[in-house]
């Protein structure tokens, strides 16, 4: 008899335990009916137990289309928003995906998903769309501010004054290479680091004209006095070559050098 009573007592205890667990399970299901289940996060932002509306607010504080990307060229910077670069973060679709975990029509699969997420967690990646063509257009606009052709150093003579212009290194934004670097930063959702614009430089053919200017200034600095000796030893002259005459005899030409650049050569045509 006591064995039967013991069996009945154990059976009743089991039934009570099942009823309690069932009640807790029902209560849990009711509590998460309109909430994201525990263990769910979006890009490491914990949204467990939140309603979809609350989760959207929490995520919007972290991921927005107003996120700024800094593009740098030396001391010059351009700050461009994610939206201007063609980036769109679909918060609603992301939260819907997070909410769908453990909220399917299949109760059995829901229980499995809820248990797995509770113990292991589930990190959802934000749903982001990106149109690189828009970012490329932004880079082309920046290129209009950066690009310049190489300019050779030059010289000209005005009277007895030698005027010069300095050489300028050509610069061109490498849009394709910069776009690759920018796209990687956008897709990694990490705008914290500055993105260095990739610039291709072109050296001018004529780098400087200092030597040529020095020769011209020396030649035009004063008249030249010429003397000679005849065949019988008598002195001839002197003859004076004026600065105007020297100027008319100057020959200034551009010539190629062995290193591929060019330089001004100054001669006097007699």
């Amino acid at each position: 008899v006591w064995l039967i009573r013991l069996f009945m007592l154990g059976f009743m205890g089991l039934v009570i335990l099942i009823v309690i667990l069932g009640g807790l399970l029902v209560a849990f299901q009711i509590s998460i009916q309109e909430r994201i289940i525990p263990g769910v996060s979006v890009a490491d932002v914990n949204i467990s137990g939140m309603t979809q509306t609350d989760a959207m607010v929490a995520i919007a504080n972290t991921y927005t289309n107003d996120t700024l990307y800094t593009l740098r060229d030396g001391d010059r910077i351009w700050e461009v928003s994610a939206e201007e670069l063609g980036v769109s973060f679909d918060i609603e679709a992301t939260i819907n995906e997070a909410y769908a975990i453990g909220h399917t029509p299949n109760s059995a699969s829901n229980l499995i998903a809820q248990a797995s997420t509770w113990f292991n967690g589930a990190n959802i990646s934000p749903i982001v769309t990106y149109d690189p063509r828009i970012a490329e257009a932004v880079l082309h606009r920046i290129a209009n501010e950066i690009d310049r052709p190489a300019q050779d150093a030059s010289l000209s003579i005005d009277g007895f004054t030698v005027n010069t212009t300095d050489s300028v290194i050509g610069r061109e934004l490498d849009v394709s290479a910069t776009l690759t670097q920018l796209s990687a930063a956008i897709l990694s959702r990490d705008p914290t680091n500055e993105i260095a614009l990739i610039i291709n430089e072109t050296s001018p053919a004529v780098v400087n004209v200092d030597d040529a200017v020095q020769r011209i200034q020396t030649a035009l600095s004063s008249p030249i006095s010429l003397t000679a000796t005849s065949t019988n030893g008598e002195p001839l002259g002197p003859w004076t070559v004026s600065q105007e005459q020297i100027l008319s005899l100057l020959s200034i030409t551009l010539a190629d050098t062995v290193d591929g650049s060019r330089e001004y050569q100054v001669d006097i045509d007699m």
Side-chain angles (χ1 to χ4, degrees):
V1 176
W2 65 273
L3 289 176
I4 295 176
R5 289 180 178 178
L6 182 61
F7 173 78
M8 293 297 295
L9 184 61
F11 178 75
M12 291 177 64
L14 180 61
V15 170
I16 292 172
L17 179 61
I18 293 174
V19 170
I20 292 174
L21 292 176
L24 292 175
L25 182 60
V26 170
F28 175 73
Q29 295 300 320
I30 293 174
S31 70
I32 64 168
Q33 189 172 6
E34 296 182 357
R35 295 179 179 273
I36 296 167
I37 67 174
V40 176
S41 59
V42 172
D44 298 324
V45 177
N46 187 4
I47 56 175
S48 298
M50 295 185 184
T51 64
Q52 290 174 274
T53 301
D54 291 341
M56 288 181 189
V57 173
I59 296 302
N61 292 331
T62 303
Y63 293 92
T64 70
N65 293 335
D66 295 329
T67 299
L68 291 179
Y69 292 82
T70 301
L71 310 178
R72 177 177 289 276
D73 172 30
D75 294 333
R76 303 174 68 187
I77 63 171
W78 292 262
E79 287 189 333
V80 190
S81 71
E83 185 175 11
E84 291 174 306
L85 292 171
V87 179
S88 177
F89 173 42
D90 195 334
I91 297 179
E92 184 175 357
T94 301
I95 298 304
N96 287 341
E97 182 179 336
Y99 177 79
I101 299 175
H103 288 96
T104 69
N106 190 317
S107 299
S109 64
N110 285 343
L111 291 175
I112 294 173
Q114 290 165 8
S116 175
T117 304
W118 184 292
F119 289 106
N120 302 317
N123 192 29
I124 305 298
S125 297
I127 298 175
V128 176
T129 59
Y130 167 54
D131 187 348
R133 294 172 299 178
I134 298 177
E136 183 178 9
V138 171
L139 292 177
H140 278 297
R141 290 199 296 271
I142 294 176
N144 291 334
E145 302 180 44
I146 293 177
D147 292 358
R148 71 185 182 206
Q151 179 178 309
D152 291 342
S154 64
L155 61 82
S156 62
I157 300 177
D158 182 11
F160 296 108
T161 302
V162 183
N163 299 315
T164 64
T165 58
D166 294 331
S167 63
V168 176
I169 295 176
R171 307 182 81 241
E172 182 179 9
L173 174 62
D174 191 330
V175 172
S176 177
T178 302
L179 179 62
T180 299
Q181 186 170 281
L182 175 59
S183 296
I186 289 173
L187 295 176
S188 67
R189 301 184 299 279
D190 182 15
T192 55
N193 294 325
E194 291 182 344
I195 298 165
L197 297 173
I198 299 174
I199 308 295
N200 295 326
E201 295 187 344
T202 304
S203 297
V206 182
V207 177
N208 70 72
V209 294
D210 294 345
D211 289 344
V213 170
Q214 182 64 40
R215 293 191 189 100
I216 295 170
Q217 290 175 336
T218 299
L220 298 177
S221 61
S222 63
I224 299 175
S225 181
L226 301 176
T227 59
T229 304
S230 67
T231 55
N232 57 12
E234 295 181 357
L236 300 175
W239 297 278
T240 299
V241 182
S242 68
Q243 292 168 288
E244 288 80 3
Q245 291 172 316
I246 296 173
L247 178 61
S248 66
L249 294 174
L250 281 180
S251 171
I252 304 172
T253 58
L254 272 173
D256 296 330
T257 63
V258 294
D259 63 1
S261 62
R262 308 190 77 193
E263 66 178 9
Y264 282 98
Q265 293 185 343
V266 180
D267 298 298
I268 294 180
D269 292 333
M270 299 298 291

